[in-house]
Amino acid sequence: MKKLLLTGIIGLKLCTSFSQVITEPLQYHCFKTAESLKIDGKLSESSWQKAQWTSLFIDIEGDKKPKPLQATKAKMLWDDKYLYIAAELEEKHIWAYQNKKDQIVFLENDFEIFIDPDGDAHNYFELEVNAINNTFDLFLPKPYRDGGNALINWDIKKLKTAVNIEGTVNNATDTDKRWTVEIAIPFTSISLDNDVLKPQDLSYWRVNFSRVEWNHDVKAGKYSRQKNANGEGFLPEYNWVWSPQGKINMHMPENWGYLVFSDKKVGAEDFNFPLPNIEKVKQIAWDIYHKQKKYFAQNQHYAKDLTLLELDTSLFPNKEFIQNIELEATSQTFFISIVDKEGSNKITLNQDSLLKISKSKSL
C-alpha cells in the first residue's frame, strides 16, 4: 500500500482547481410549524401558507438539459415529532394505477424524497408517493454504485401521507391542473441504532427530491408508459429534481441539498447559513473519490498517487479549507484522509463511499 502525504510545507496558493469543481448544493431553511397540521394534501393551515417554496425543480443533470415541461416545487416544516414535506406538481394528465404498498412506484409518475440525516452517504432513506397516495419506502445501507442493496421490507413506521387532486385521476378525456402531496415523517422512524435523529437549531441534513415523469400513451382509455418506436422497451423518463445531481443518478447523496433547521416559528425572518468549512472539505474528498472511480474504470485499478488523478497538486493543500491530504491505495481499495484548516477535524472516505468525521490528532 502506497501513501502520498501532502502537508502545509508545500503549496500555499489558493486551490482554484477545487473552487471550479465545487458547486454548492441548494439550501432550504426549515422553520417550526406554529400549529398542528392535518395531513390532507390541502396545505390550508397558516403555517403552510407562510412556509416558502423551494425554487422550481430542474433537470437532474442541471443546465445540461432543457427546463422541465411542467412545474414542481416543495416546502418543509418541522416540530418535535415530525418532518413535514409538501410538494405541488403541475400535471395535465394525472394517472396512477399501482395501489399496493411497496410496488415499484417510479414505474409510473411519482414524487420522491431522499434523506441522509448524518450526511455520511450511507444508511439513507427513500420514499416515493404516486397520485393515488400509494407509497414505496426503502432503506439503503450504501449507494447502489458501491454494491448497496435496497431494503424494501423496511417501513417508515407511523408515516402520514395524503394527496389532493385538482383534476381527475386516470381520465384521459380531460385536462388536469396539478396534484399536491403532504407528508409527515416521524423522526423516530428514520433514526439509526435507537438514536432519535431529532434536529437542533441550525443543524442540517442532506436531502433531495425527485419527480419522475413518463411520456405516456392512451389505449382503451388507460394510460401507459410510451414505448420506443420499435416497440421494445420504454422511452426514458424525465427526472426533475430540487438540487441537481449532475448525472442521471439520484443515489449520489454527496450532491443532495442541505435542509437547515431553525427553532424559530415559520414566518420569522429568513437567515443566512454559510456552508461550514467541514462541508467544503467533504466536497474535496468527494472530488478525489469520483476521479478515483473514473481512473479505475479506465485502468482496472485505483491510482496510488494523486498526480495520476488530473488534480493540480502544485496547488495542494488549499489553505482556505484544509491542512493536509493523505491517499492510501491498493489496486482494489483506496482511503482518503483530509485534515481541515483548523487541524481539529479529519475527514476519511473510502472506495465504498463511506465518509467519516473524527477529531484530528496534532500534526
Side-chain angles (χ1 to χ4, degrees):
M1 181 176 289
K2 182 176 180 181
K3 180 185 291 186
L4 176 63
L5 174 64
L6 297 170
T7 70
I9 299 175
I10 59 175
L12 299 179
K13 299 178 183 178
L14 177 65
C15 185
T16 55
S17 63
F18 275 134
S19 66
Q20 291 168 358
V21 299
I22 296 175
T23 55
E24 281 194 15
L26 299 180
Q27 291 186 17
Y28 185 88
H29 298 166
C30 185
F31 292 90
K32 276 196 162 183
T33 179
E35 61 200 309
S36 177
L37 301 178
K38 181 180 179 181
I39 306 303
D40 55 10
K42 296 180 180 180
L43 313 185
S44 56
E45 292 88 354
S46 61
S47 291
W48 274 132
Q49 297 299 311
K50 294 177 183 178
Q52 296 296 310
W53 289 106
T54 63
S55 53
L56 293 180
F57 287 19
I58 64 174
D59 188 86
I60 191 170
E61 295 186 88
D63 294 336
K64 297 178 184 178
K65 295 293 179 67
K67 292 183 179 180
L69 303 174
Q70 300 183 99
T72 312
K73 55 187 178 181
K75 60 172 64 176
M76 286 162 276
L77 293 166
W78 71 292
D79 60 22
D80 291 338
K81 294 183 178 180
Y82 295 97
L83 171 63
Y84 300 98
I85 301 172
E88 182 182 279
L89 300 83
E90 289 185 358
E91 181 59 80
K92 294 181 180 179
H93 294 278
I94 302 174
W95 60 281
Y97 299 103
Q98 297 193 82
N99 56 11
K100 296 180 181 178
K101 176 76 168 65
D102 286 339
Q103 282 182 299
I104 310 301
V105 173
F106 67 79
L107 295 181
E108 297 177 343
N109 298 340
D110 76 350
F111 177 73
E112 303 180 356
I113 299 167
F114 299 83
I115 301 176
D116 182 9
D118 58 6
D120 67 353
H122 277 213
N123 300 320
Y124 60 89
F125 312 95
E126 179 179 351
L127 172 65
E128 304 174 5
V129 186
N130 68 8
I132 55 175
N133 199 31
N134 188 34
T135 62
F136 176 33
D137 48 5
L138 55 156
F139 173 80
L140 277 297
K142 60 181 177 179
Y144 294 119
R145 68 188 176 196
D146 300 302
N149 292 312
L151 303 181
I152 296 176
N153 290 333
W154 174 85
D155 290 323
I156 302 177
K157 296 179 180 179
K158 299 182 179 180
L159 172 72
K160 300 178 183 180
T161 65
V163 170
N164 184 59
I165 303 292
E166 294 182 54
T168 53
V169 180
N170 299 332
N171 183 353
T173 65
D174 65 1
T175 300
D176 306 310
K177 290 185 178 179
R178 64 182 61 85
W179 59 286
T180 303
V181 59
E182 184 178 14
I183 299 166
I185 300 176
F187 293 122
T188 55
S189 295
I190 55 171
S191 297
L192 303 171
D193 300 326
N194 297 319
D195 293 328
V196 178
L197 298 172
K198 183 179 176 182
Q200 304 295 322
D201 189 40
L202 297 184
S203 65
Y204 55 90
W205 292 4
R206 302 303 300 268
V207 305
N208 212 348
F209 307 107
S210 172
R211 173 181 177 174
V212 172
E213 183 81 4
W214 296 89
N215 289 301
H216 67 267
D217 284 324
V218 179
K219 295 182 179 179
K222 186 174 182 179
Y223 292 95
S224 62
R225 289 182 291 164
Q226 192 173 94
K227 291 189 173 183
N228 290 310
N230 61 10
E232 298 180 2
F234 300 95
L235 291 175
E237 75 277 17
Y238 297 103
N239 290 274
W240 301 329
V241 306
W242 168 48
S243 195
Q245 294 288 98
K247 295 176 63 176
I248 305 176
N249 183 359
M250 284 304 299
H251 293 272
M252 299 171 63
E254 67 274 13
N255 289 352
W256 295 351
Y258 289 92
L259 173 59
V260 185
F261 295 91
S262 171
D263 261 342
K264 295 180 179 179
K265 298 294 185 182
V266 64
E269 184 179 358
D270 199 7
F271 55 92
N272 184 40
F273 185 77
L275 196 64
N277 281 337
I278 195 67
E279 293 302 314
K280 298 175 182 180
V281 176
K282 290 180 185 179
Q283 290 175 336
I284 292 172
W286 282 116
D287 184 51
I288 297 173
Y289 166 91
H290 287 293
K291 285 184 168 62
Q292 274 281 42
K293 291 293 183 177
K294 179 180 178 181
Y295 185 91
F296 186 93
Q298 295 171 342
N299 300 281
Q300 311 313 307
H301 63 85
Y302 288 117
K304 297 182 181 181
D305 193 314
L306 286 174
T307 60
L308 300 174
L309 297 179
E310 301 177 0
L311 302 172
D312 188 353
T313 54
S314 68
L315 298 175
F316 279 97
N318 180 355
K319 298 294 287 185
E320 184 180 0
F321 300 137
I322 62 178
Q323 283 196 14
N324 78 310
I325 297 177
E326 293 181 27
L327 171 64
E328 302 178 25
T330 68
S331 62
Q332 302 297 310
T333 66
F334 68 85
F335 187 82
I336 304 161
S337 176
I338 307 179
V339 176
D340 66 10
K341 69 175 183 178
E342 293 84 6
S344 56
N345 294 302
K346 180 167 72 173
I347 295 287
T348 60
L349 180 61
N350 69 5
Q351 73 285 340
D352 285 335
S353 75
L354 178 59
L355 186 146
K356 292 183 178 181
I357 304 175
S358 61
K359 292 299 180 182
S360 174
K361 297 179 181 179
S362 298
L363 296 177

